[in-house]
Amino acid sequence: MRSRLRLLLIAVALASGAFLAWQAAGTLLMIFGGLLLAALLDAATRGLQHLLPLGRGVCFAIVCTLSISVILMGIAWGGYTIVQQWDELHDVLTNQLKNIGDRLADMGVQTPGPRGRRITDEQIASILLPDPAGLFGQARSALGTAGDFLLTLFIGFFVGLNPAAYRRGLESLLPLNRRHFVLDVVDHMAERLRWWLVGQVVTVLVVALSIALVLMALGTPGALVLGLLAGFLNFIPYLGAFIGVVPIAIAASSQGSAMVVWVMAIYLSIQIIEGYVLTPLIQRRTVHIQPAHALGMQMLMGTLFGAVGIALAAPLQAALRVAIMRASAGDADQV
C-alpha cells in the first residue's frame, strides 16, 4: 500500500512538473538561449586566457568589447551594401517568382493569385523562409519581443561574467549525496555546449563567406545577402541547408538554367565539405546526433516555439543527450 502511494505521488509530481514546464516553456527557452550565449562568451574568454597572461575579468571585458566592435563595424561597413543588394535581390526574386508562377500556370498547375500580379514582400518571405508554424503545425511564439531578446542578452552576459558563482549557487541547492554527480553532469553539458557553439560559429562564418564569394564571382544578384542568409541558416543542422538553397537557386535562375546547375553544384560541394570535413574536425568533442533524431527534434521544437525553437533544437538536444548519457553511466556505476 505504501509503495503504491509513493508511485502515485511520484506520478503526480512528474505530471505537475511537466505541466509547469509547458506553461513556462517560452521563458525556459529564453533562459536556455541566454545560457548558450554565456557558454559562447565563456569559450571565447577561456581561449583568450590561454593566449594572454590576464585574469578572467579582463579577458571577458576584451571579448565583449571586441564582439560589440565587430558587430558595429560590420553594420557600418556592410549595412549600406546589404540594403542595396537586398533591393536588387528583391526585384530579381519578384520577377523570377512571377515567371515561375506563369510557367506553372501554363503547365496547368494552379497557383495562388491571378497571373501577372505583383508578389508582396510577405509572399516572398513565406516562400524563401517558410514559417515553421506552417511547416510543422500551429506554433507558439518564443522570444517574440525585443524585451525578451534583451533579457536573453543580459542572462548571457551575467552568467558568462562569473559562471563559477552560479555553479556554487547550484551546488548549495543540491543534497550532499547527489551533489558531485549532478555537478559532473552539468560540467559535461557545459563543455559540450561550448565546443558545439564554437564549431557552429566557425562553420557559419566559413559557409557564409565561401558562398558569398562564389556568388560574387558568378555575378549572382544579392550575393552578399544570400551568403549571409545561407551561413545563418547553416546554424540549423540538416534543415538549414535545404532552406538556404531555395533563394540562391531562384536568384541564379535569372542568369539562365546553366547558372542554376553551376550554383547548385557549388553549393552542394560547400555543404559536403562542411558536413564531412570541417564539422567533424571542429566538433570532435561534441555529442554526435543522428540525422533522424535531429530532424525530429527540430520538427517538435518548430511546432511548439516557431523559428527560435528550430534554432535552439540542436543545442538543447545535445545537452539533454549528455545529461541522459551521464545519468545512465552514473546509475550503472552505482549498481
Side-chain angles (χ1 to χ4, degrees):
M1 191 70 182
R2 186 173 298 177
S3 61
R4 292 182 179 178
L5 180 59
R6 182 181 179 183
L7 290 175
L8 178 61
L9 292 176
I10 291 175
V12 172
L14 290 176
S16 301
F19 177 76
L20 291 176
W22 169 255
Q23 292 298 315
T27 302
L28 294 176
L29 198 63
M30 180 181 66
I31 294 173
F32 181 71
L35 295 178
L36 282 181
L37 177 60
L40 183 59
L41 293 175
D42 182 55
T45 302
R46 288 169 180 258
L48 190 60
Q49 282 184 289
H50 287 294
L51 299 176
L52 301 176
L54 300 173
R56 177 180 173 82
V58 177
C59 290
F60 183 81
I62 294 174
V63 167
C64 292
T65 303
L66 288 177
S67 301
I68 296 174
S69 300
V70 168
I71 293 173
L72 293 178
M73 289 175 59
I75 294 175
W77 174 76
Y80 180 70
T81 303
I82 291 175
V83 171
Q84 274 190 323
Q85 289 202 9
W86 169 248
D87 291 337
E88 178 186 4
L89 182 63
H90 178 272
D91 294 336
V92 171
L93 293 177
T94 299
N95 294 330
Q96 292 306 114
L97 289 173
K98 282 197 291 188
N99 292 336
I100 292 173
D102 292 341
R103 291 177 184 176
L104 291 175
D106 292 336
M107 296 170 58
V109 179
Q110 292 185 353
T111 56
R115 295 179 59 180
R117 181 178 178 181
R118 177 174 174 79
I119 301 176
T120 64
D121 295 344
E122 291 78 9
Q123 290 172 322
I124 293 178
S126 65
I127 294 173
L128 302 184
L129 295 174
D131 183 12
L135 287 174
F136 304 129
Q138 187 64 34
R140 292 182 56 182
S141 175
L143 299 179
T145 64
D148 290 338
F149 180 71
L150 289 176
L151 286 175
T152 302
L153 292 180
F154 283 129
I155 291 173
F157 174 80
F158 288 117
V159 175
L161 178 62
N162 190 9
Y166 295 92
R167 187 182 185 278
R168 289 192 298 269
L170 175 62
E171 182 180 3
S172 65
L173 298 175
L174 299 173
L176 290 176
N177 61 334
R178 303 296 292 176
R179 183 172 295 177
H180 175 75
F181 172 71
V182 174
L183 292 179
D184 181 65
V185 172
V186 171
D187 290 340
H188 276 81
M189 289 171 62
E191 180 185 3
R192 297 306 171 99
L193 283 178
R194 281 196 300 267
W195 281 103
W196 185 88
L197 286 169
V198 170
Q200 287 300 106
V201 169
V202 173
T203 53
V204 164
L205 292 176
V206 170
V207 169
L209 183 61
S210 57
I211 290 179
L213 291 177
V214 167
L215 294 180
M216 288 179 185
L218 295 176
T220 304
L224 180 59
V225 176
L226 292 172
L228 291 174
L229 181 62
F232 284 120
L233 286 174
N234 212 71
F235 185 83
I236 305 172
Y238 307 109
L239 188 62
F242 289 100
I243 298 177
V245 74
V246 176
I248 294 176
I250 295 176
S253 65
S254 64
Q255 300 172 281
S257 301
M259 185 59 68
V260 175
V261 175
W262 274 104
V263 168
M264 294 286 287
I266 295 173
Y267 181 87
L268 181 61
S269 301
I270 292 174
Q271 290 294 339
I272 290 176
I273 294 173
E274 181 273 327
Y276 290 94
V277 179
L278 183 61
T279 298
L281 287 176
I282 296 174
Q283 298 190 2
R284 287 178 294 180
R285 301 189 186 185
T286 61
V287 176
H288 177 69
I289 300 174
Q290 297 296 332
H293 296 165
L295 291 174
M297 185 68 170
Q298 290 170 10
M299 293 173 64
L300 176 62
M301 295 293 289
T303 301
L304 297 176
F305 307 111
V308 175
I310 294 179
L312 297 181
L316 179 60
Q317 188 174 13
L320 292 175
R321 181 173 171 80
V322 171
I324 293 172
M325 290 173 63
R326 296 298 299 179
S328 299
D331 292 339
D333 293 338
Q334 295 176 7
V335 174

